[in-house]
Amino acid sequence: MHSLYDWFRRHRFAVDLVVMAVLWFVAVPLGLVNAGSGSGHLVGTFVFATALVVPLAWRRTRTVMAGAVIAAAAVLQWALAVQPMPADVAVPLVLYALAAFAPRWASLCGLALAMLGAVMLVTRFFFNLTSTSLASMPYGAVLILTIWVLVLFSWTAGDLTRTKRLREQALEDRAHRLEIEAQHERELAASDERAHIAREMHDIVAHSLSVIITQADGARYAAAADPDVAPATLATIAETGRSSLQEMRRLLGVLRGGADASMRPLPGLADLDGLLLGIRAAGLPVSCETTGSARRTLPPGAELTAYRVVQEGLTNVMKHAGPNVTAAVQLHWAARGLEVSVRDDGRGASASFADAAPLPAHEAGPSLSPPRGSQPPLAGNGLRGMGERVKLYDGTLHAKPLAGGGFGIAAFIPYSET
């Protein structure tokens, strides 16, 4: 039944044409039988019956035009004194169509014209005001009221159909809007997931390749003077590659939907010691200091963000700081959250980094803000990825060359209050 209803709704003109043809084949013969003798009566009945019935084929596709043609035919029938016929049923049918499918002004005009036409019909063919006594006046009033009831019933049924159609159209529009919004939300979620995957891939690949390249270059020069360096260097390269391969497998397992891979823990603050051991084995002297005590535990995602900030900062030191450089990592548990800083004394450093003062994030924010006219921070993909990670947890990140030489990164990750 639902499929049949949809077919009727999609083929309105075809359905109305069939209904009109059936009504014409019923109404016209009945009208000719009741027309009486004389060729004039038969021709008039045939013409007016056709003019009243045929426009019903467009009652839903071109409702106003069909209503105007039927109204004109009915008025001309009254003016020429053509007797009422079965084809006059087209008037309440088109009035229903006007109320259901036509604009509101056409619906109201059709109702007013039909009410007036009822009075004209009764006074012209059933009740002669000039020759009827006052005693027969109630008979004429009853006829008019009866036709008015039929007119109002047709118009009210059409108006209810119009209201139902508009309600269904509003629901369809709302469902369409919700579908579009859901599609946009899926696209935004996919875009966010792609950005998250890109950040993870960058952190894993950039760090591991930086360590491997540094070790390979160092081993290539040192092996000539001391061949014993090569085994230790190759061991560091193998361990770094093995760890990165495990991270890549975990990430790809999550993408493939593997339940076992998705349950593996993400790196956190407890894994910083292993990260620093790998960095030191790669040849970068790095110190780490933790001050304060945590008021509460950070979420796993926030700990992963802090881990990635340290990892990316040290990777940048190995890639860009130059030779004979030292780095320092500082973690400070403040009242509002965790402050992470990574600094080095690379190219242009004028003082020993070990004697430098701490660089907590809440103090480093203003001091690391870019001066007027300088290149804005977070220009590289790694720094931009760190900024996006920290921003997800309502944190801040600042990165800038230090005044005494070297480069500094300061991040603040607040506690997630519930």
Side-chain angles (χ1 to χ4, degrees), residues 243-261:
S243 175
S244 300
L245 182 60
Q246 291 177 355
E247 289 289 322
M248 290 290 293
R249 285 175 175 172
R250 180 190 61 80
L251 182 60
L252 294 177
V254 173
L255 294 178
R256 295 191 184 102
D260 296 337

Side-chain angles (χ1 to χ4, degrees), residues 156-359:
T156 303
D159 193 67
L160 291 176
T161 302
R162 173 194 184 91
T163 303
K164 179 181 177 181
R165 178 173 57 84
L166 293 178
R167 185 185 299 112
E168 292 178 352
Q169 183 177 358
L171 292 176
E172 291 178 358
D173 293 341
R174 183 173 181 269
H176 182 64
R177 289 195 303 269
L178 291 176
E179 183 178 355
I180 293 177
E181 292 176 0
Q183 179 64 26
H184 288 170
E185 291 179 357
R186 287 193 294 269
E187 292 176 356
L188 291 175
S191 177
D192 181 71
E193 186 64 22
R194 285 194 297 269
H196 173 71
I197 294 171
R199 289 193 298 265
E200 288 287 337
M201 293 287 290
H202 176 273
D203 293 338
I204 295 171
V205 175
H207 170 71
S208 60
L209 289 182
S210 297
V211 174
I212 291 173
I213 291 172
T214 301
Q215 287 290 297
D217 288 340
R220 183 159 54 90
Y221 291 108
D226 187 4
D228 295 335
V229 174
T233 304
L234 292 176
T236 302
I237 293 175
E239 181 63 26
T240 303
R242 195 176 299 110
S243 175
S244 300
L245 182 60
Q246 291 177 355
E247 289 289 322
M248 290 290 293
R249 285 175 175 172
R250 180 190 61 80
L251 182 60
L252 294 177
V254 173
L255 294 178
R256 295 191 184 102
D260 296 337
S262 62
M263 296 301 292
R264 295 186 60 181
L266 296 173
L269 297 178
D271 301 299
L272 282 180
D273 291 339
L275 174 65
L276 296 178
L277 287 176
I279 295 295
R280 294 188 183 104
L284 175 64
V286 55
S287 62
C288 181
E289 180 183 2
T290 301
T291 59
S293 58
R295 184 167 59 88
R296 57 182 301 177
T297 304
L298 288 177
E303 287 201 7
L304 174 63
T305 298
Y307 179 90
R308 294 303 188 195
V309 168
V310 175
Q311 184 184 51
E312 180 65 25
L314 295 177
T315 301
N316 288 339
V317 173
M318 297 177 64
K319 292 167 59 177
H320 306 297
N324 301 323
V325 63
T326 60
V329 176
Q330 293 183 345
L331 305 177
H332 176 65
W333 292 98
R336 295 177 51 246
L338 175 63
E339 300 169 353
V340 182
S341 67
V342 181
R343 297 190 301 176
D344 66 83
D345 59 349
R347 293 187 179 95
S350 60
S352 174
F353 187 76
D355 298 333
L359 184 64

Side-chain angles (χ1 to χ4, degrees), residues 392-416:
L392 288 176
Y393 293 93
D394 300 326
T396 57
L397 179 75
H398 301 279
K400 182 190 173 185
L402 300 176
F407 196 85
I409 296 175
F412 172 69
I413 304 174
Y415 294 112
S416 295

